[in-house]
Amino acid sequence: GGSMNLWRLPIEEESGKVKGQPEPVTSGGGAATRQHLSISRDGRSIAFVERIAKTNLQKVPFDPFKETVVGPSTWITQGSRPVAGYDPSPDGEWVVFCNRGAAQEDLFLIRTDGTGERQITNDSAKDRAPHWSPDGKRIVFFSDRLTGRFQIWAINPDGSGLHRLGETDQSVIGPVLSPDGMRIAYHTLEQFANFISELGKAWKDHTERLPAFSESETFQVSSWSPDG
């Protein structure tokens, strides 16, 4: 249901095979996360932490040439919800963000002065990691809507025009459009690999796999260079 709880699963001790369905030990909603469990020696009690985190966005005036902060920070968002996966619009007027970790994860827009907030998705799907297109006309994000597996979607800033970008049989996260808006970089959870696909063409035939740094390390794409 979108919240993290403690569960139990019956297994066969010798083989490790699952013997039944998972059952919740704790229940709850909202932004609470139940974690760091410890089971008592007699197996009758569990100690655990219930963590409720709230995160908000601030903006800070910054001189890029002197590389120094030139004024006090001010709040963009305020409240008790978790704010994550944010991205400023190309014109610097808006910030899109998601409330990852909430009971219902959606996308929101707010002006950089903290006014004009509006919700642009509103459903049971987990909508995460929104990024603006270079022209500011679309927002790309990943979501588990329709298939139950994370795929890349796009939506207009006013909440219209929701549609899926490309098609893949893997779970895909972290989409970022190229500066010309013609390609998209993303990360796959099954392979722990990064790919670039061409928009408007079949991804099966127009996808490039990015090289890995090493066999023992993984990385996730986060941005493009200005020249693409």
Side-chain angles (χ1 to χ4, degrees):
S3 58
M4 298 297 292
N5 283 285
L6 305 181
W7 291 64
R8 64 185 177 191
L9 184 68
I11 64 168
E12 187 177 87
E13 291 191 18
E14 292 183 358
S15 66
K17 291 182 179 180
V18 176
K19 296 177 61 178
Q21 295 298 314
E23 301 172 331
V25 177
T26 64
S27 62
T33 298
R34 290 147 191 89
Q35 57 190 32
H36 303 310
L37 71 146
S38 179
I39 302 175
S40 62
R41 288 189 178 184
D42 62 9
R44 296 179 179 273
S45 302
I46 296 179
F48 64 93
V49 171
E50 182 173 278
R51 175 178 178 267
I52 300 177
K54 62 177 182 180
T55 53
N56 283 287
L57 301 179
Q58 287 186 334
K59 67 176 179 179
V60 182
F62 183 80
D63 187 324
F65 300 103
K66 296 181 180 180
E67 297 183 354
T68 57
V69 173
V70 294
S73 60
T74 56
W75 291 104
I76 297 177
T77 64
Q78 299 184 61
S80 59
R81 69 186 168 196
V83 175
Y86 54 89
D87 190 39
S89 61
D91 62 8
E93 295 295 320
W94 295 87
V95 176
V96 62
F97 65 91
C98 66
N99 58 339
R100 182 169 180 171
Q104 179 175 310
E105 300 183 18
D106 290 304
L107 303 184
F108 300 82
L109 277 181
I110 191 169
R111 291 188 182 276
T112 52
D113 64 1
T115 64
E117 181 180 321
R118 63 175 183 262
Q119 187 170 343
I120 56 176
T121 65
N122 186 6
D123 50 51
S124 60
K126 292 179 172 64
D127 301 329
R128 298 177 175 177
H131 274 273
W132 290 88
S133 63
D135 59 9
K137 294 182 178 180
R138 290 188 300 173
I139 295 167
V140 297
F141 61 101
F142 70 89
S143 174
D144 64 351
R145 61 186 61 243
L146 276 188
T147 64
R149 180 177 297 198
F150 286 123
Q151 298 286 290
I152 300 175
W153 292 74
I155 194 171
N156 298 330
D158 63 2
S160 66
L162 176 66
H163 65 283
R164 183 174 167 183
L165 294 180
E167 188 171 345
T168 174
D169 58 359
Q170 298 192 60
S171 290
V172 178
I173 64 173
V176 188
L177 286 171
S178 62
D180 62 6
M182 301 301 294
R183 294 171 294 164
I184 191 164
Y186 53 88
H187 183 81
T188 60
L189 292 179
E190 283 84 353
Q191 294 175 287
F192 297 108
N194 299 281
F195 294 86
I196 295 175
S197 294
E198 293 186 43
L199 296 179
K201 298 181 180 179
W203 286 13
K204 181 180 179 181
D205 303 319
H206 297 274
T207 295
E208 171 190 358
R209 181 169 180 165
L210 296 178
F213 290 131
S214 72
E215 294 183 0
S216 61
E217 296 176 322
T218 61
F219 76 99
Q220 181 181 329
V221 292
S222 62
S223 62
W224 290 72
S225 62
D227 61 3

